[in-house]
Amino acid sequence: MKRSELKNIVKELVEAEIGKPVTDPETRIKSTLKSIDPETGKLSWDVEYPVEPEFIYKKLEDLVQYMDKVEKGTELGQIKDILKNLKNKTARLAKK
């Protein structure tokens, strides 16, 4: 098979994927192949980073638990209280 034939096959396969969104199951980042430059072969992508209340709640919960040993009245104690408040507010969004 000639190199040019292989190049055309790859090009056809990639072009078939234009406009099809793919979501990474771990990060929930959604990417869509937008276009291919016919001269250079450069691929252009649309990437969406979703904001999910459940994910934010879990991360805040982990951080608050991590800071459990922080003494109250200290600057870190105040930050922990702020994070706890944010976690509680986020909980209402996550349960909708």
Side-chain angles (χ1 to χ4, degrees):
M1 181 177 289
K2 293 182 181 179
R3 183 181 171 138
S4 61
E5 291 173 340
L6 184 58
K7 222 174 170 181
N8 286 335
I9 290 170
V10 170
K11 183 180 174 186
E12 287 175 18
L13 289 172
V14 171
E15 285 177 348
E17 296 300 312
I18 292 177
K20 291 183 182 176
V22 176
T23 303
D24 184 299
E26 187 175 315
T27 63
R28 295 178 277 303
I29 296 173
K30 180 179 163 185
S31 58
T32 307
L33 181 58
K34 194 168 100 176
S35 65
I36 304 169
D37 186 309
E39 285 185 35
T40 64
K42 177 183 170 185
L43 304 175
S44 296
W45 297 86
D46 281 336
V47 181
E48 294 178 31
Y49 300 90
V51 177
E52 297 181 11
E54 297 85 7
F55 181 77
I56 294 170
Y57 174 80
K58 178 66 178 140
K59 292 298 178 184
L60 286 169
E61 184 177 47
D62 292 345
L63 189 53
V64 168
Q65 286 177 358
Y66 177 76
M67 295 181 75
D68 269 347
K69 296 177 183 168
V70 172
E71 293 181 29
K72 289 192 177 247
T74 64
E75 195 170 343
L76 278 176
Q78 292 172 347
I79 291 171
K80 179 187 171 194
D81 292 340
I82 292 169
L83 291 171
K84 200 173 196 177
N85 188 17
L86 283 172
K87 179 189 82 141
N88 293 335
K89 288 181 178 182
T90 306
R92 291 190 292 256
L93 295 172
K95 293 179 182 180
K96 286 186 177 181

